[in-house]
Amino acid sequence: MAKKYVNADGSANLKSFAELRRWQKERRAKKKDLSYVVPRVEPDLELLHGNRTEPTVTFIGHSTFLIQLGGLNIVTDPVWAKTMGVSPRLTAPGVAIEALPPIDVVLLSHAHYDHLHLGSLRRLPGDFVALVPDGLARWFRRRGFRRVQELSWWSETRVGEVTFGFVPAKHWTRRTPWDTNTSHWGGWVMRHGADCLYFAGDSGYDTVFRDIGARYGDIRVALLPIGAYEPEWFMGPSHMTPEEAVRTFADVGGRIFVPMHYDAFRLADDTPKEALDRLLAEWERLGLPRERLWTMPLGNTRLWSANETSIME
């Protein structure tokens, strides 16, 4: 019998059929404005292919980023899929998969389809190593990926000069009716010297973020989800609201906040505009410096360093 994984508080975040029916009934009664288009810019491909020294982050879409750190090209949750189930993608990826530089490391937060897409993995350029949560390596190896390393919460590994730590999140996972929570979920902390970046994956709010902040107290850039939160009574255990994302940012002690998980797929009832508006309203309510919030256009690349933070347009 396969091992079943749970959250730090012992929850499994499973919903009943009655709860699902209630949500779908509510959803049919809502009318949402989906006309807002997430901004995009032309990617700086010359920079992305030529850079092996400066730390950069490029927003591709949803939870997919290209991160350049310690001489490595790293991709998080690679999904270039045009649809999710029967729903079309709302925004095209900010960088075409064929335009990527050779990838050295793939980071997986969990096995949900909007984070783990086999077609995208097969098309990625480069002989990459996949760092995956506990319980997921077998899925990769059965599909021909041989360079796979499986990590449990709070464990670390090193690729080149970069240390990767797998840290907790509050979520769940399933790809078929028979594999619910048979692999784990979490986020990743990447460190090279004084440069430290945190990719939260997908999560509801939890006090475990304080533990991450206590262990990695010098996080420069935090990539945090802000979408798929409505209705909150249904989504709350698995997806944080924009306000909770700001709280998470404070818990982990981040310096730069980069929102994600709001632009590409309509997984819940909120819209990209609603998520961004609530994030900015909370940011302003707390009086936080606007330059520390990077609402990145798709395709945009930004540079950070341990001593100062700047923007590469």
Side-chain angles (χ1 to χ4, degrees), residues 12-191:
N13 284 5
L14 303 182
K15 298 295 184 182
S16 68
F17 183 66
E19 289 173 310
L20 180 62
R21 286 186 63 187
R22 176 187 164 192
W23 169 37
Q24 293 303 309
K25 182 178 180 181
E26 286 183 9
R27 191 175 208 184
R28 288 192 293 270
K30 295 177 182 177
K31 293 183 179 180
K32 292 285 188 172
D33 182 0
L34 296 174
S35 62
Y36 175 76
V37 178
V38 176
R40 64 189 309 115
V41 297
E42 283 298 314
D44 189 340
L45 299 181
E46 183 177 356
L47 168 67
L48 297 180
H49 281 263
N51 177 45
R52 284 286 185 174
T53 57
E54 301 299 325
T56 72
V57 57
T58 301
F59 187 33
I60 294 172
H62 197 52
S63 298
T64 307
F65 290 85
L66 171 64
I67 297 162
Q68 297 182 307
L69 183 64
L72 299 178
N73 291 323
I74 305 158
V75 168
T76 63
D77 288 357
V79 176
W80 272 261
K82 295 180 179 179
T83 61
M84 191 54 51
V86 297
S87 300
R89 189 174 184 129
L90 298 176
T91 55
V95 180
I97 196 168
E98 298 80 7
L100 291 172
I103 302 304
D104 303 297
V105 179
V106 167
L107 297 181
L108 264 295
S109 67
H110 66 294
H112 275 148
Y113 279 94
D114 61 311
H115 296 260
L116 172 54
H117 181 239
L118 179 58
S120 297
L121 283 169
R122 294 201 187 282
R123 294 168 57 203
L124 282 175
D127 182 23
F128 59 83
V129 57
L131 304 183
V132 306
D134 195 21
L136 198 52
R138 184 169 179 263
W139 184 95
F140 274 77
R141 294 190 178 108
R142 289 181 66 180
R143 286 154 182 81
F145 299 98
R146 299 304 173 196
R147 301 187 65 205
V148 185
Q149 190 171 345
E150 197 173 77
L151 280 79
S152 57
W153 282 355
W154 302 118
S155 63
E156 293 185 344
T157 191
R158 193 172 177 88
V159 180
E161 299 180 357
V162 180
T163 299
F164 296 87
F166 186 55
V167 295
K170 186 177 183 181
H171 204 57
W172 68 293
T173 194
R174 179 170 63 207
R175 292 183 71 84
T176 74
W178 307 278
D179 66 355
T180 302
N181 292 351
T182 56
S183 61
H184 222 171
W185 46 86
W188 293 91
V189 176
M190 293 151 261
R191 185 190 299 280

